[in-house]
Amino acid sequence: MKRSDVFEPLEPPPHGWTRMKARLEERRRPRWPLALAAGAAVFLAVVLQQPRVDVTAELRRSPSAGAFGLKVSSEALTLKDGASQQLPSSDENVLLYRVAVVSPSEAPPSE
Amino acid sequence: MTARANELEALYVRLEKPVFNVVYRWLWNVEEARDVTQEAFLKVWQAWERVDAATVEPLVFRTALNLAANRLRTRKLWGWLTLEPVRERADERAAPDEALDVERRRAQVRRAVDALPEKLKRVVVLCELSGLSYAQVAEALEIPSGTVGSRRNLALAALQKSLGPLEDA
């Protein structure tokens, strides 16, 4: 056998430099716009999945609703085993009550 | 095109064939050998500012050999992990109508080269296919020049044991 049979030189596939140039161009292209777009897409997907909250309704139910300028329902105050007496308030958005814990038999009529 | 790009093109055109041939003797697959060849040039290009022009050719071959060896290890590991039997890859160069004895001889050569210890294989493949001088082969493999000669002789002796006498040219 000849040594050239063992180490027979082969021709590489054609257009090697063209392909090489394309790989160099691809590496030179900045990748941050793609990364930024991908990150924004993920963020939006997560945010849009969150259940929507009716903020106004939540605030209205909150004890601090008056501080936000929301009128409090007159039925908001409920008591169990207690009595309440409404007191005068200079601010129509603020309701004042005097409350006490009493047994049901002792509870005065609410005013 | 910039002067820098021209330098890389000149280097690529000059070395593509020998690098491809060296890498092919590791992977025995034309597409993979082409990919690894280009990866080697890309790596050298990334470090271009720090590359010494006098030693760029050995550097390209060293990089290519390391990439080829890594690719081969990954292929073997993947075969082990997936429990796929390691099949001997057919020589893609064989034309359907090629004589059976030619195909058998190529398979025999391939088995003999693959059976060489890694250190001997690197030396003999570079010596026979890269076009590098002994000094450049030593530079590429980071071994003494004298070691190149002795390892080449050992490799050729092992190949002759497998394949019979090897005539020059």
Side-chain angles (χ1 to χ4, degrees), chain A residues 55-71:
Chain A
V55 177
T56 305
E58 286 288 330
L59 280 176
R60 196 164 272 125
R61 283 192 286 271
S62 158
S64 311
F68 291 98
L70 294 170
K71 287 193 193 265

Side-chain angles (χ1 to χ4, degrees), chain A residues 23-106:
Chain A
R23 290 180 79 162
L24 285 167
E25 281 299 315
E26 197 181 313
R27 290 208 174 197
R28 266 201 286 267
R29 212 171 289 137
R31 292 186 185 168
W32 63 263
L34 189 64
L36 190 63
V42 168
F43 175 75
L44 281 173
V46 169
V47 164
L48 291 175
Q49 288 293 326
Q50 299 292 331
R52 293 186 182 277
V53 174
D54 186 347
V55 177
T56 305
E58 286 288 330
L59 280 176
R60 196 164 272 125
R61 283 192 286 271
S62 158
S64 311
F68 291 98
L70 294 170
K71 287 193 193 265
V72 178
S73 162
S74 61
E75 315 228 2
L77 183 65
T78 55
L79 296 174
K80 185 182 174 190
D81 297 334
S84 67
Q85 181 184 22
Q86 189 168 0
L87 300 174
S89 170
S90 59
D91 186 341
E92 64 173 1
N93 290 321
V94 177
L95 296 173
L96 296 173
Y97 288 90
R98 189 174 75 178
V99 298
V101 178
V102 295
S103 65
S105 60
E106 292 173 332

Side-chain angles (χ1 to χ4, degrees), chain A residues 1-17 19-21 23-24 27-28, chain B residues 8-9 16-17 21 24-25 34-35 38-39 41-42 45-46 93 105 128 165-169:
Chain A
M1 192 182 288
K2 295 196 183 86
R3 229 166 63 215
S4 57
D5 291 335
V6 179
F7 299 106
E8 182 187 346
L10 308 173
E11 287 300 321
H15 314 300
W17 174 242
R19 192 182 153 93
M20 182 76 195
K21 256 173 48 176
R23 290 180 79 162
L24 285 167
R27 290 208 174 197
R28 266 201 286 267
Chain B
L8 179 66
E9 183 180 2
E16 183 195 19
K17 182 173 172 178
N21 273 277
Y24 183 80
R25 268 58 183 198
R34 180 187 63 180
D35 281 347
Q38 296 202 335
E39 275 299 320
F41 278 94
L42 282 171
W45 183 241
Q46 283 168 355
R93 297 169 294 158
R105 190 180 73 235
E128 300 299 320
L166 295 177
E167 299 159 13
D168 283 343

Side-chain angles (χ1 to χ4, degrees), chain B residues 150-164:
Chain B
S150 58
R151 286 187 184 173
R152 177 176 175 266
N153 290 337
L154 284 171
L156 288 175
L159 288 172
Q160 289 194 93
K161 204 172 170 185
S162 303
L163 303 170

